Amino acid sequence: MGKLGKKARKFAHKNLQSVERMKRKKNSIFKRKAHSQKKPGTTVDSERLRTKQPTEGHSDEITTGGDILNNVLDYSSDEGNDELVEDASDSDGFLSEDSDCPYISEKEDENIFEEKCDHSALLEQNKQLALEIEGHKKKLERLLKKDPKFSEYLEKRKDFLEKSRREENSSDEEGNSSGEDTIEGSPKLKHGKPLSSFTIDVWCWLVMEQPKGPALRNLLNGFHTACQYGIGTSGVSSQKVSSKEAFSKILTFVLLEADGIFCRVLGLSGSCNKDGRLNFRNKSEWGSLRPLVKSYLHSCLLLLNQVTDQEILVFALTRLRASLKFLSDFPSLAGRLIQISVHLWVSGDEKLSLSSFLILRDIASDLSSDWLETCLKKMYKAFVTHCKFFDSNNLEHIEFLSDNIVEVYSLDIQRTYQHVQYSVQQLANVLKQAMKTKKKEDLKKISCWQYTLCTNLWVKFLSCNARDHDLQQVLFMLIEVIRGMSHLFPGPRHVPLRLKCVQMLNHLSCSCGVFIPIAGMVFDCLEQKASGSTGTRKECLKFSSLLKVPKYLLKSQGFHEKCVLSVIEILSAHFAQWSYHVSFPDLATIPLILLKKFHDKATSENLRRPVKRLIDQVERNIEFVGKKRDEVTFSPDDRESIETFLQLERSGSNTPFTQYYASVLKSSHSKSLI
C-alpha cells in the first residue's frame, strides 16, 4: 500500500478517530459485541442501547444460575442476521435537492423573520443584493479591460480550482469504495444551508399544496439532518438546522404528515383493506416515490436510535406504525426496525413498551410470513434474557411481556407450533439432566426465575389456545415438566416454587378442561412447623416474588401461616373448578381427610378457622352434588350427559361453594394490596 498524500494524512489526523468511534458505536447497536467498553467519545444514547438486556441475546450470554441450557435458544439461530442488520449502503438517506425550492435564511439569527416577515421588506433586501452583485460584475469587467494579465491570472486560477476539486472528488469516491461510510467521514460540504423556522414553514405549506413538488425532497433531507442530531454527521447534508424551533417544527410536521402525503401521491385511502394497501408497488407513482419513502423510514430509524426521551419515542413509534405498509419493499430497514422495537419493548416503560409491541405485532401479522418467525425468535430471546435480571418490582412488566409473546405466537398456530414444541422440549431436557445428575449447577438452572417464567409463558399460551387447537402433545409434555419441577425440590425452603408449580397446573386444568390431581402436591406444605416466634410478621413474606425462602424465616410463625393460607387458596381454586362435576364427591374425599387431620393437629386458632371453613364448604358441596347424582339415569360412559350435568346451576353460579371461592379471592386480593 502506497504512502498517503498530504490531503489524506491531514484528513486522517483530523477525522480518523471519530470514524473509528462511529464504527464502534454502530457495531454495539446492531451487532451487539459481547464485551463492549465505554469510550471517551461515546454518547449517552449509545450507552442506552448497551444495557444489560440486549436485543440479540445469544445463548452464551446466559450464565449459570440463570441459564436455561445453551440449547434453549439454539432453535433461533443467527442465520440471516447479516441481511437484517445491514445498513442501507445503497443510500445514506439523503436525496438530490431541487434548486427551485427556496431557502429563506440569509442570517443565522431567525429573529429577522419574526420581526420583519412582510413581503415589502424581503423585496427591498433582494433589490439591494442584486444591485451589489451588479456593481461587483462591472468592477471586474473594468479590471479585465485595463489589465490583460489579470484575465490570464483568473483563467489559471480557475483551472487550478477545477483540477483540485476533481482530485478531492476522486479521493472521496476511492474512500467510499474501500468500505468506509460517507456518513462517518468528512462532510461533503463545509458550509451547509441553514434551515430557518420560516423556511420550514414555507416548505410545509408547499408540500401540503403540491405533494409532488420539489419541496418534499428538501423537507425530507432536513428531516434526515434533524434525526442525525447528536451523532456528528449532520454535516453530510447541504442543510443545517439553525434553531430548536426549526428542529421541533420539521420533526413534528414530517412525523405527522409524511404517511398521509405518501398515500395522497399513491392514491391510497386510509380505509382500504390489507390487500389494497400492499398493492401500492403496482402503481406507476411508486417508482419516483420509493427513494423518498426509504429516506423517511431510514431517518425514523436514526431518530429511534438517538432519542432517549420516552414521550418522543412513543410519538415516533406511533407515527411510524402508520407507514409499516411500505416496509415490505425495504427488508433491511424492516429487520433493523424489529431489532430496535424489540429492545424498546423489553426495556421501555409501560407506554413505550406497548407502542413497540404494536409495531412488532403489525409487522408479524401484516408483512410476509418470514417476518413472523423473525419476530417470534427475537421476542422470545429478549424475554429470556430479560428474565435473567428479574426483580420483584418488575413482575408486572414481566407479565405484560409474556402476554405480548402469547398474542404474537397465537397469530398463526400452525407456524408457531413447532417453535413452542421445541422450546418446551428444551425445558424438559434441562429438567431431565438435573434429575439425572442432581448436581448443584444443574439444579440452579431449574430453581431460577428464567426457567420458571419461561415455563409459565407456555402455560399461558396453552391456556389461550388448547381448546381451539390440537396441542395435546405439548400440553402433556408441559404438565410433566411442571410436576418434575415440584418434586425436584421437596424441602421447606422451596415451598414458594412448589406452590407456583401447583398454580400453573391449576391454570392448565381450568383452561384446558383436563383433570390434574394436585392435592398431594400441596399437603406437604402444611407439615411445616413454626417455632412459636412471632418476630416476623406474615406481611413481610410475599410468595409471588420468591422462589426460595431465607433460612432465618423457615421457623417463623409468619411463614407457617403464609403456607397454610396459600394451600387453602389453591385447594379452593381446584375444588371450585370441579364443584359442578359429577365426580366431585370422589376427587374431594382424600383431600378432605387430610384437611381434617391437619385441623385436629393445628394449635393456632388463626389457622384452624380458615381450614374449618374450607372443610365445611367442601362437605356441603359433596352433599349437594351427591343428591343430584342420585337422581340421574345415565351411565358413567355417557360423556355428553356428564358434560351437561348441573349445566343450569353452573350458569347461575349461586351454589355455596362458588360464593365461598369468590370470597377467598377477594380476601387474597385485599391482602396483596395491603
Side-chain angles (χ1 to χ4, degrees), residues 580-582 621-634 645-646 648-649 655:
Y580 297 100
H581 201 270
V582 68
N621 202 70
I622 290 176
E623 183 180 357
F624 168 72
V625 176
K627 288 181 179 180
K628 295 291 184 180
R629 189 167 66 174
D630 293 339
E631 299 174 359
V632 301
T633 57
F634 56 83
F645 180 72
L646 295 180
L648 183 61
E649 289 80 357
T655 58

Side-chain angles (χ1 to χ4, degrees), residues 328-543:
S328 59
D329 213 40
F330 309 104
S332 62
L333 297 181
R336 293 171 61 193
L337 178 59
I338 290 176
Q339 287 185 331
I340 296 172
S341 299
V342 167
H343 172 75
L344 297 177
W345 168 68
V346 170
S347 59
D349 62 4
E350 182 179 357
K351 292 183 179 180
L352 180 58
S353 185
L354 177 60
S355 300
S356 304
F357 166 69
L358 294 177
I359 290 277
L360 294 170
R361 187 191 64 182
D362 289 351
I363 292 176
S365 59
D366 293 345
L367 299 186
S368 63
S369 57
D370 295 337
W371 294 118
L372 171 61
E373 295 193 5
T374 302
C375 292
L376 295 179
K377 294 174 182 179
K378 291 187 178 297
M379 290 178 71
Y380 182 59
K381 291 170 71 174
F383 175 79
V384 172
T385 306
H386 187 72
C387 291
K388 177 183 176 182
F389 308 101
F390 174 81
D391 183 11
S392 58
N393 296 325
N394 68 348
L395 180 60
E396 186 176 350
H397 184 60
I398 291 286
E399 293 291 328
F400 174 77
L401 297 180
S402 60
D403 291 340
N404 293 162
I405 294 180
V406 169
E407 185 174 347
V408 175
Y409 270 82
S410 302
L411 292 174
D412 189 347
I413 300 298
Q414 293 182 350
R415 295 184 65 87
T416 61
Y417 178 77
Q418 291 185 350
H419 295 276
V420 177
Q421 186 180 26
Y422 191 89
S423 299
V424 176
Q425 183 63 55
Q426 292 301 322
L427 293 175
N429 292 341
V430 176
L431 179 65
K432 187 183 297 183
Q433 179 71 14
M435 296 180 72
K436 180 180 179 181
T437 62
K438 296 293 180 67
K439 293 182 179 179
K440 186 176 181 180
E441 57 270 17
D442 291 334
L443 293 176
K444 281 185 176 181
K445 297 174 184 177
I446 307 297
S447 61
C448 68
W449 280 108
Q450 243 182 350
Y451 194 94
T452 304
L453 292 173
C454 288
T455 304
N456 188 62
L457 170 66
W458 302 126
V459 169
K460 286 185 176 183
F461 173 79
L462 291 174
S463 300
C464 294
N465 300 286
R467 289 187 180 271
D468 300 326
H469 301 85
D470 184 15
L471 303 175
Q472 296 298 317
Q473 185 177 358
V474 177
L475 173 62
F476 294 139
M477 189 189 308
L478 189 60
I479 291 174
E480 291 302 317
V481 168
I482 298 173
R483 291 177 65 88
M485 288 175 60
S486 176
H487 292 300
L488 195 59
F489 303 98
R493 292 196 66 187
H494 290 89
V495 166
L497 176 60
R498 294 204 303 277
L499 291 178
K500 282 180 173 58
C501 293
V502 177
Q503 288 174 340
M504 286 189 281
L505 292 176
N506 255 350
H507 195 185
L508 284 175
S509 177
C510 183
S511 56
C512 303
V514 179
F515 174 72
I516 304 176
I518 55 96
M521 300 172 61
V522 296
F523 277 106
D524 62 332
C525 299
L526 298 178
E527 298 175 0
Q528 312 303 326
K529 295 182 180 180
S531 62
S533 173
T534 59
T536 304
R537 299 177 60 190
K538 61 183 179 182
E539 288 82 3
C540 298
L541 279 173
K542 199 173 182 180
F543 280 180

